[in-house]
Amino acid sequence: MSSLLTSFQRLGQLVDQPRVAGRVVVGLLAVHTSLLMYSAYVHSPTLNEPGHLVAGLSHWKFGRFELYRVNPPLVRMAAALPVMAVGYESDWSGFYEGPGARPVFDMGKDFVAANGTRTFFLTMIARWACIPFSWLGAVVCYLWGRDLYGRTAGLIACLIWCFEPNILAHASLITADAHATALGLAACYTFWRWLKTPTWAQAALTGVVLGLAELAKTTLILFYPLWPMLWLAYRWQDRATMTPHTWGREAGMLVLRMAIGLYVVNLGYGFDESFMRLKEFHFVSKLFTGEAPPDSETREPKHEFTNRFASTWLADLPVPFPKNYLLGIDTQQKDFESYGRPSYLRGEWRDRGWWHYYLYAGLIKVPLGLLTLGGACILLSLWGVHPAPARDSLLLLTPAIVVLCVVSSKTGFSEHFRYVLPAFPYAFIWISGVITAYGSRIFERKLDKSNQAARIEGNAVSRADTCVGSVVSTGLLVWLSSSSLWIYPHSLSYFNESIGGPLNGAEHLLGSSVDWGQDLRYVYWDACSIDASSRLSVGRLGSLRTPGLFRCPCHQTPAPLEAQAGQYCSVYYIHGGGWDPWCSSNASQLRELLEQQESALNRKRVSYTVVYPLLQSNSK
């Protein structure tokens, strides 16, 4: 036991050296980058990615921001840069505009049709262009963990970021979830640094990073009301030494930070229709429209777009955001109010979502090694292990709690676990701090100092506990990494061992949590391995169904689905999902059809999401 503890202590001393820690971070980033690059290569475009890419290209080409307005443009504009450099075929004929208009999905299909199999290459390089955002997330995990808990904690937080499967899944895509998570973390880290050293330069830097985070995802607008409250809470224990001049100075810095953040957001949109008067907006969500007055003659409710602020004193107020930024929030809110298709959880479909959806999804989508570490850290905190001042822990964990609560409160639909991804890295850092504090014996048992024998016995027990804690923590980190890598590159379909892994994932969640269309390339490779000239049917894959993606002959299967040769179907449809009513009503038919084909030759899983060949033959 003693020699094992000594080994852990020496390892801790080694990685605590700045040069060694820097090399470890570089090594982790190299591995992380390799994993992301291969995943970006091997997976086909997901359901939303062509739309994101088309929108990014349109921003650069036309200087307009209507397409995909529900998300700010920063990430997709970065993704579009290499695509513009190598060239692409465009088709802008599907564009139209109006209140709540969302033509981008059909335009994404037009882009795939225009570029054919080259879409794979264009999507891959667009994904690669977004990898630096994930570098930022890993580096900030290290820096914040190092500054708050020590270098060892920083390295553990960085390791968790680099191998956590949900981060790996979404950091290899064009969609903004993981990239906004990194930028949001960077914004909060610079805010914490400002609280430690409140200078005007640090306040300006924090404002710039805040603006960039807001340009990645509108969820992060929560920082605007949250940061002033955190500032007051953080300074409360210093109130006895804070003079009115100090309070005023820091409040001025806070205002400067918010102003710079707003400026960066407007700059990102090219000041496109910024500072419009509030009454000039045409909203579509109930939150912003209110209730339309009934018709004066029929007294029936009017079905028209309204603006609840148009007849109030707020009507002439200039809105300090670009027009499409606010309209994007409005359109997203409408989705939460009335999504248009049902939500799914544990085999149940219903018209609205569940408040506990993200909590349940976290229990089965997050590696058990990480969940166990988190649970142990909660117990250690209750036991008295506090590796940092309470106000620092409060500032670290509050953004994660707020994001989880706000997203969980949106019960209009429940489909995308990725919505809570911005809460992840704060938990990574806190967990790394608690386990490092316990492993390095920062926590000491309170013993009666007058009893020497009790002190000696207590130290021995503490030494044994520390060794066991170090071994267990290391084992859980290894479990986390190996569990993630075992499923890789299918990280988007990752489910932990509590439900039997990704093979059973669709029994619990659907949508982007398991099948987002990322495995179409595996379908093509499987079909070609059977017969390169075989006719490939991709009629029920739950994602892009564009024949131009495949070199072999390809067609869409009309409903009703029949057991014809060479046909593939995704778990999304097998469990009743889909955009048309036929899919839901015939889900049981699909499952019965698959159950009839039990032999290894006639029923074979192509990938975790997906995708079964209902019948295999060489018919053309």
Side-chain angles (χ1 to χ4, degrees):
M1 185 73 73
S2 178
S3 61
L4 186 58
L5 179 59
T6 300
S7 298
F8 277 109
Q9 290 175 334
R10 289 178 177 174
L11 179 60
Q13 293 171 356
L14 178 64
V15 298
D16 199 44
Q17 299 176 25
R19 181 174 297 180
V20 174
R23 290 174 178 174
V24 173
V25 170
V26 171
L28 288 173
L29 289 177
V31 174
H32 184 62
T33 301
S34 300
L35 295 174
L36 295 182
M37 291 183 70
Y38 181 72
S39 181
Y41 156 72
V42 78
H43 289 121
S44 57
T46 61
L47 180 63
N48 290 12
E49 281 186 292
H52 276 274
L53 185 53
V54 167
L57 292 169
S58 74
H59 303 333
W60 288 112
K61 184 176 181 64
F62 303 110
R64 300 181 60 169
F65 296 91
E66 292 91 347
L67 291 181
Y68 232 120
R69 58 163 62 105
V70 294
N71 282 315
L74 177 62
V75 174
R76 56 180 177 263
M77 290 182 75
L81 288 173
V83 176
M84 292 190 299
V86 301
Y88 62 95
E89 297 296 327
S90 61
D91 181 357
W92 306 105
S93 61
F95 176 79
Y96 63 91
E97 175 57 355
R102 301 186 70 173
V104 71
F105 296 105
D106 287 335
M107 293 181 70
K109 293 180 181 179
D110 293 340
F111 177 85
V112 172
N115 290 277
T117 57
R118 195 165 179 261
T119 302
F120 288 121
F121 170 72
L122 297 177
T123 302
M124 179 188 71
I125 61 174
R127 290 168 171 174
W128 285 358
C130 297
I131 290 176
F133 290 111
S134 194
W135 295 346
L136 176 66
V139 170
V140 175
C141 279
Y142 167 72
L143 292 175
W144 203 344
R146 180 202 65 183
D147 294 347
L148 197 53
Y149 305 116
R151 283 193 178 85
T152 301
L155 292 174
I156 292 174
C158 181
L159 181 146
I160 296 174
W161 174 281
C162 290
F163 289 99
E164 206 282 331
N166 295 286
I167 297 293
L168 284 176
H170 292 283
S172 64
L173 303 178
I174 301 170
T175 47
D177 302 281
H179 315 305
T181 297
L183 287 166
L185 180 69
C188 286
Y189 172 64
T190 58
F191 175 62
W192 176 76
R193 294 282 297 179
W194 172 80
L195 288 170
K196 290 294 186 181
T197 310
T199 65
W200 291 101
Q202 184 65 34
L205 174 63
T206 304
V208 172
V209 182
L210 172 63
L212 292 174
E214 300 297 335
L215 282 171
K217 200 169 184 68
T218 51
T219 304
L220 303 182
I221 201 173
L222 293 170
F223 291 166
Y224 280 102
L226 180 62
W227 281 7
M229 291 186 288
L230 286 176
W231 168 63
L232 291 173
Y234 197 88
R235 288 288 182 248
W236 185 248
Q237 74 176 52
D238 300 329
R239 63 191 182 280
T241 59
M242 294 278 287
T243 65
H245 176 267
T246 305
W247 282 109
R249 178 173 176 269
E250 292 194 8
M253 293 181 187
L254 202 62
V255 172
L256 173 67
R257 174 187 303 110
M258 300 304 178
I260 292 176
L262 285 172
Y263 175 80
V264 171
V265 170
N266 284 279
L267 183 64
Y269 280 83
F271 288 89
D272 182 38
E273 298 186 88
S274 297
F275 299 100
M276 282 179 54
R277 289 183 297 176
L278 189 54
K279 67 180 181 182
E280 296 174 355
F281 285 85
H282 297 281
F283 296 121
V284 295
S285 69
K286 292 180 181 179
L287 178 65
F288 291 107
T289 61
E291 294 294 334
D295 186 271
S296 59
E297 296 182 0
T298 65
R299 307 307 298 171
E300 295 291 330
K302 293 180 181 179
H303 300 284
E304 61 181 26
F305 301 111
T306 60
N307 182 330
R308 71 186 314 156
F309 309 104
S311 57
T312 70
W313 63 272
L314 297 171
D316 291 316
L317 187 71
V319 177
F321 288 102
K323 173 185 175 181
N324 284 294
Y325 189 90
L326 183 56
L327 290 181
I329 295 174
D330 173 56
T331 305
Q332 185 72 80
Q333 176 63 27
K334 183 179 183 297
D335 284 344
F336 283 116
E337 294 170 353
S338 178
Y339 191 43
R341 70 176 190 264
S343 299
Y344 174 89
L345 181 65
R346 297 188 64 189
E348 177 187 355
W349 289 93
R350 74 180 195 182
D351 290 336
R352 294 186 61 81
W354 296 262
W355 68 266
H356 59 277
Y357 176 89
Y358 299 98
L359 292 173
Y360 179 79
L363 292 176
I364 60 178
K365 287 284 289 179
V366 175
L368 281 181
L370 184 56
L371 290 175
T372 305
L373 278 173
C377 288
I378 293 174
L379 294 177
L380 287 172
S381 295
L382 295 175
W383 190 28
V385 178
H386 301 298
R391 62 178 182 175
D392 289 308
S393 297
L394 173 69
L395 190 137
L396 176 65
L397 293 176
T398 298
I401 296 171
V402 169
V403 167
L404 177 61
C405 291
V406 170
V407 172
S408 297
S409 70
K410 301 293 185 179
T411 56
F413 72 94
S414 299
E415 185 174 1
H416 305 296
F417 179 59
R418 58 192 171 91
Y419 284 175
V420 294
L421 209 60
F424 276 40
Y426 308 96
F428 298 168
I429 297 168
W430 180 74
I431 288 171
S432 71
V434 175
I435 63 176
T436 303
Y438 183 71
S440 59
R441 298 174 64 195
I442 293 176
F443 171 72
E444 295 290 346
R445 293 170 179 252
K446 295 182 178 179
L447 298 171
D448 183 2
K449 293 185 178 181
S450 64
N451 188 333
Q452 181 67 24
R455 259 199 331 273
I456 296 173
E457 180 183 356
N459 288 336
V461 173
S462 178
R463 188 178 182 85
D465 286 352
T466 299
C467 186
V468 171
S470 299
V471 172
V472 171
S473 299
T474 302
L476 290 173
L477 289 172
V478 171
W479 183 12
L480 181 162
S481 303
S482 59
S483 175
S484 177
L485 293 176
W486 183 261
I487 304 303
Y488 176 84
H490 303 287
S491 303
L492 196 65
S493 306
Y494 178 88
F495 288 85
N496 64 36
E497 296 84 349
S498 66
I499 62 166
L503 290 175
N504 299 319
E507 302 291 337
H508 300 261
L509 304 174
L510 287 177
S512 64
S513 298
V514 55
D515 174 21
W516 215 11
Q518 72 273 17
D519 287 334
L520 287 182
R521 209 164 192 177
Y522 287 93
V523 176
Y524 168 66
W525 288 335
D526 184 78
C528 290
S529 70
I530 299 170
D531 185 344
S533 62
S534 64
R535 188 166 179 79
L536 174 61
S537 170
V538 293
R540 298 295 169 197
L541 286 178
S543 181
L544 294 172
R545 298 182 290 273
T546 304
L549 281 175
F550 301 96
R551 291 190 178 89
C552 59
C554 174
H555 70 286
Q556 296 187 46
T557 302
L561 183 64
E562 298 177 354
Q564 53 184 298
Q567 191 173 87
Y568 290 75
C569 185
S570 80
V571 294
Y572 186 66
Y573 287 102
I574 292 168
H575 289 81
W579 290 91
D580 53 84
W582 180 89
C583 299
S584 298
S585 62
N586 288 271
S588 59
Q589 174 192 343
L590 284 172
R591 288 194 291 271
E592 291 176 3
L593 187 61
L594 294 171
E595 290 170 359
Q596 295 172 5
Q597 302 172 46
E598 293 291 343
S599 70
L601 292 177
N602 287 334
R603 183 182 179 187
K604 176 171 68 74
R605 184 180 288 270
V606 176
S607 72
Y608 286 117
T609 55
V610 136
V611 185
Y612 297 91
L614 299 182
L615 287 173
Q616 294 185 16
S617 79
N618 292 331
S619 61
K620 302 179 182 179

